[in-house]
Amino acid sequence: MSETPPMTMIPDETAYAEAVQLAVDASAAYYSDGTSTLDDDSYDRLVRGIEAYEADHPEQVLPTSPTGKVAGGAVVGDVPHTVPMLSLDNVFGAEQLVSWAASLERRLGRPVEAWSVEAKLDGLAVSARYRRGRLVQLVTRGDGVAGEDVSHNIGTIVGLPDRLAEPVTVELRGEVMMTAAQFADACDKRQAHDGTTFANPRSAAAGTLRTKDRPYVCELTFFGYGALPMDESELAARLRDLPHSQIMEWVSGQGVQTTAVTPVAGVLVSTLEEVQARVEEIAAARAELEFGIDGIVIKCDLAADQALAGFSSRAPRWAVAYKLPATEKITKLLAVEWNTGRTGIIAPRAVLEPVELDGSVVTYATLHNAADIARRGLMLGDSVTVYKAGDVIPRVEAPVVHLRTGDERPIPIPEVCPSCGDAIDSSQERWRCVRGRACRAIASIEYAAGRDQLDIEGLAVNRIKQLLDVGFITDFADLFFLTRDQLLSLERMGETSTDNLLAAFERAKGQPLSRVFCALGVRGTGRSMSRRIARHFGTMDAIRAATAEAIQEVEGIGPEKAPVVVAELIEVAPLIDKLIAAGVNMTEPGVEARDVTADEVSDLPLAGMSVVVTGAMSGSLEALSRNEMNELIERAGGKASSSVSAKTALVVAGEKAGSKRTKAESLGVRIATPEEFAELVASFL
Ligand code: IVH
């Protein structure tokens, strides 16, 4: 872990004034829509340089200087906070942590007995005001003294209930953010709406929180990290004296989400060695998280220690943020590659000067489409901010215009499909080869034949290519019409392989609808979405007859995705017709079209249960892939999920189950061995 990052050197008063302006602009952009022309590291370096210059030249300090101000003095709102919302001081490594703790203990005149170590969530601080147990107002941090009313978001934030378990008047403080899935969904929605996307989850959350009249709704997530009782009740009095860790237990008991349900739950420890050990555990868990963290917060747990330590104008003295390396950095855009995907979509990809982000080296990043490149004024050779954290695919955010040298060149835009050389349909923001799916027939057929779709064993890519080259097939439906003689006529194809392949085609015809549907490669529908669609409608006929409204009844399909699915289904209609003619199964076993009654569903052994599978399966489940396990769970009425939370009803834990099992244990979630689970769902195996 790095120690103090270097600071920007400021030689004279002019440079100082420029530095202050740059920091003020960057901070204003960061706190208004979450975009910034500086990455976090550069901003921290700059502010440190400003601080050093001001220490040497106190007479030159500008009133606009960001030093000593919450949020760099960037934002003001009109709702006064009852208690100021402060920042945190930072440390950048073990050594600084030790000296911070030493100075705190000197101030207290005694050692700190209990430390709370928790993740520093990378979102936006909000204060959620509950009156007699009801959520009445939501306020951003603003300048720390007053914030903006963002109550219009109430009801769209996962983890922040409208009502608490008890009728208390309390302010909950916490972070609003977007998980990787919420971010992907928000980007899809914005892309469908105006062709643009969000730069990163944090800026997406900032924009979403502050925008009132968006025609689409993006879901947010809340994690609480503090509570301030606001009435004179007995409960309030008791809460005030509780240690921080117990306040947080109370908060989650009220139905509010805290990091206790994540792999980076807060822990209570008594020595700095233990603090450091937990810091390292949280840092190691970071890359796997579904949400962004930018550090670890270390707090004195006891109310008495906190009261004695008090506050500076900017931050509490009883807590500190241990910063982790940034997930956003500036690097050079070296080239842009254009690739045609399986469905014919032509997408640009940035080639970057390699940069380390969140534990991995990033050399490629997503760019969205030609219009987006033009809108953002990106050029080859530009310095660009790049974001990568956890599950989020690396992405180029924006050019850093003030770092331009004049040597930047326009990005070449293709005039023909980079895959087949045919024309490009650029009538939509997402460009497409005019040949559509046919352009990348090999890739689409390979996908359709893949293990999680039709699972056609023995159909290698070179065989697909050979079949396309000789003109025996043009899409994967044609596979089912291949004759023995045709196959035998191919080079390097013997009797046995031919018979094996024909048998594999025969087996593939019997795959459940979910897999047949997935094989179609309808945009926006991967494996789990295909399963949901198949279970919802039961037959291909029902899916095809569905309107956009009907499709929206499937969980996870919103008003943006539904029309895309309908349009795609029209496009692949000839393919579906061919599959039907070939005798491919078009129904989902266990689902009677749309007339499954609620009773029938609730009779299923896993009805309404969220189930997570972890570790190696054994016994009768040994041969099942994860996808097949998930299919089994859903056939039995459950919902397959990949992460354990308080909502998980059952964890199937085999040999070598790791952190998911531990977490299930700590949350008291029911755990079953593969054998016990097999018994439970025996009739669906
Ligand atoms: S405690 C008095 N705990 O970090 C301020 N803050 O850089 C006490 N943050 O404004 C804040 N995770 O928005 C606390 N576990 C956590 C946090 C956390 C993220 C944010 C918070 C604060 C900012 C300071």
Side-chain angles (χ1 to χ4, degrees):
M1 230 155 280
S2 63
E3 292 286 327
T4 320
M7 61 180 164
T8 308
M9 289 309 297
I10 299 180
D12 57 28
E13 197 169 358
T14 315
Y16 166 71
E18 280 172 6
V20 167
Q21 193 53 49
L22 188 58
V24 167
D25 290 348
S27 171
Y30 185 75
Y31 284 97
S32 63
D33 62 3
T35 58
S36 171
T37 45
L38 288 180
D39 62 28
D40 284 1
D41 277 353
S42 315
Y43 181 79
D44 285 346
R45 268 201 299 278
L46 185 66
V47 172
R48 230 184 306 285
I50 293 173
E51 273 166 2
Y53 185 85
E54 290 175 347
D56 292 344
H57 309 89
E59 74 293 349
Q60 291 176 17
V61 173
L62 289 168
T64 47
S65 168
T67 59
K69 291 180 188 158
V70 170
V75 233
V76 275
D78 51 8
V79 184
H81 290 300
T82 47
V83 173
M85 290 185 81
L86 299 179
S87 294
L88 287 169
D89 287 330
N90 295 327
V91 292
F92 295 91
E95 235 168 76
Q96 290 188 8
L97 174 66
V98 169
S99 62
W100 171 81
S103 81
L104 172 63
E105 291 182 335
R106 269 198 304 279
R107 178 178 282 272
L108 295 176
R110 61 178 186 232
V112 172
E113 278 165 41
W115 299 105
S116 169
V117 190
E118 42 196 87
K120 184 170 188 297
L121 302 153
D122 190 12
L124 298 106
V126 298
S127 181
R129 299 178 170 184
Y130 284 88
R131 196 178 303 133
R132 290 187 288 282
R134 272 180 175 278
L135 181 53
V136 290
Q137 197 177 29
L138 207 56
V139 187
T140 63
R141 178 166 75 160
D143 66 356
V145 177
E148 208 176 320
D149 189 310
V150 290
S151 306
H152 56 274
N153 289 285
I154 292 175
T156 62
I157 308 179
V158 174
L160 191 67
D162 293 351
R163 260 175 187 280
L164 298 179
E166 292 172 76
V168 267
T169 297
V170 64
E171 263 189 52
L172 297 184
R173 299 241 166 128
E175 208 78 354
V176 165
M177 44 211 304
M178 269 191 194
T179 61
Q182 287 171 335
F183 175 61
D185 182 59
C187 287
D188 280 355
K189 285 176 173 167
R190 184 156 172 188
Q191 176 92 52
H193 182 252
D194 62 11
T196 65
T197 63
F198 295 103
N200 60 53
R202 190 186 176 286
S203 73
T208 301
L209 200 58
R210 301 185 74 225
T211 315
K212 256 202 190 114
D213 302 312
R214 237 191 227 151
Y216 50 96
V217 178
C218 302
E219 195 181 81
L220 295 162
T221 292
F222 178 83
F223 288 106
Y225 54 66
L228 301 166
M230 287 294 160
D231 61 4
E232 294 315 316
S233 63
E234 220 177 281
L235 172 70
R238 191 158 56 78
L239 269 184
R240 269 185 204 106
D241 294 329
L242 284 183
H244 170 71
S245 52
Q246 289 179 30
I247 295 181
M248 292 318 295
E249 272 172 34
W250 177 84
V251 168
S252 68
Q254 295 304 304
V256 175
Q257 181 164 255
T258 70
T259 54
V261 299
T262 73
V264 290
V267 300
L268 204 57
V269 298
S270 52
T271 68
L272 281 184
E273 288 72 43
E274 291 167 316
V275 169
Q276 185 62 34
R278 183 61 184 160
V279 163
E280 276 153 32
E281 277 170 14
I282 293 180
R286 185 191 200 188
E288 307 294 321
L289 291 178
E290 280 152 33
F291 50 87
I293 65 172
D294 57 348
I296 292 99
V297 185
I298 298 136
K299 301 174 179 170
C300 291
D301 194 48
L302 297 181
D305 282 350
Q306 293 190 3
L308 195 57
F311 298 86
S312 73
S313 67
R314 202 186 84 97
R317 292 205 176 88
W318 44 263
V320 79
Y322 188 122
K323 295 286 264 191
L324 289 176
T327 47
E328 186 200 63
K329 276 193 189 153
I330 294 175
T331 187
K332 279 258 163 26
L333 175 61
L334 302 177
V336 173
E337 289 176 353
W338 295 80
N339 299 303
T340 310
R342 209 171 2 96
T343 60
I345 299 280
I346 300 167
R349 174 169 90 151
V351 184
L352 306 166
E353 204 168 271
V355 60
E356 193 181 331
L357 281 169
D358 199 13
S360 60
V361 175
V362 174
T363 15
Y364 296 103
T366 317
L367 285 167
H368 311 288
N369 50 53
D372 195 48
I373 291 176
R375 229 178 336 245
R376 291 191 285 169
L378 269 180
M379 299 182 78
L380 286 186
D382 257 339
S383 295
V384 290
T385 46
V386 178
Y387 177 92
K388 154 90 182 78
D391 275 357
V392 176
I393 298 164
R395 45 177 48 224
V396 171
E397 299 180 321
V400 186
V401 178
H402 72 264
L403 292 180
R404 284 204 170 137
T405 60
D407 291 338
E408 294 74 17
R409 283 152 295 122
I411 293 174
I413 306 288
E415 280 163 11
V416 292
C417 169
S419 174
C420 69
D422 213 325
I424 295 177
D425 171 2
S426 54
S427 60
Q428 310 272 317
E429 295 242 338
R430 283 190 195 213
W431 288 4
R432 209 168 172 209
C433 172
V434 287
R435 301 179 57 202
R437 287 180 159 73
C439 172
R440 296 289 318 281
I442 299 185
S444 351
I445 299 171
E446 191 188 3
Y447 176 77
R451 179 157 189 219
D452 294 334
Q453 288 76 30
L454 297 177
D455 195 14
I456 306 178
E457 237 174 281
L459 188 67
V461 184
N462 48 9
R463 189 68 73 202
I464 298 173
K465 187 167 179 309
Q466 203 181 14
L467 287 164
L468 283 163
D469 287 347
V470 295
F472 287 172
I473 62 170
T474 58
D475 56 37
F476 77 86
D478 291 338
L479 293 171
F480 300 109
F481 295 94
L482 287 171
T483 62
R484 195 162 190 276
D485 287 345
Q486 277 179 318
L487 287 173
L488 278 173
S489 74
L490 296 174
E491 263 176 53
R492 302 180 306 279
M493 190 76 178
E495 302 245 344
T496 319
S497 338
T498 298
D499 291 336
N500 288 346
L501 203 49
L502 285 170
F505 293 152
E506 238 8 80
R507 277 195 305 276
K509 284 188 194 171
Q511 292 286 8
L513 174 64
S514 54
R515 283 168 168 255
V516 175
F517 185 85
C518 190
L520 296 172
V522 168
R523 269 188 277 156
T525 65
R527 284 172 307 187
S528 59
M529 183 58 77
S530 297
R531 283 201 301 274
R532 260 180 263 160
I533 294 175
R535 295 206 60 77
H536 184 87
F537 290 102
T539 67
M540 185 68 91
D541 280 349
I543 299 177
R544 295 175 97 178
T547 59
E549 289 76 54
I551 292 213
Q552 273 181 64
E553 284 173 25
V554 178
E555 192 194 327
I557 300 191
E560 289 76 25
K561 196 178 264 184
V564 177
V565 174
V566 173
E568 285 271 296
L569 280 167
I570 295 170
E571 185 180 309
V572 296
L575 187 60
I576 302 176
D577 290 338
K578 241 196 265 180
L579 290 168
I580 294 173
V584 172
N585 168 55
M586 292 288 156
T587 60
E588 188 66 2
V591 184
E592 283 297 311
R594 276 308 297 138
D595 20 273
V596 216
T597 64
D599 280 356
E600 278 166 336
V601 174
S602 65
D603 279 349
L604 297 173
L606 303 179
M609 291 169 69
S610 169
V611 183
V612 175
V613 179
T614 180
M617 291 300 102
S618 46
S620 54
L621 305 179
E622 189 170 354
L624 301 193
S625 67
R626 270 298 181 268
N627 184 54
E628 287 165 336
M629 280 297 290
N630 292 342
E631 288 174 334
L632 173 62
I633 291 166
E634 289 174 14
R635 272 202 303 282
K639 194 175 159 208
S641 166
S642 58
S643 61
V644 178
S645 77
K647 294 193 198 102
T648 309
L650 179 69
V651 170
V652 185
E655 285 281 309
K656 301 219 179 77
S659 62
K660 291 185 190 176
R661 188 196 171 103
T662 323
K663 192 165 160 201
E665 282 165 355
S666 73
L667 290 171
V669 171
R670 183 176 152 203
I671 299 175
T673 61
E675 289 71 20
E676 288 162 348
F677 182 72
E679 215 165 287
L680 189 65
V681 296
S683 52
F684 297 86
L685 266 171

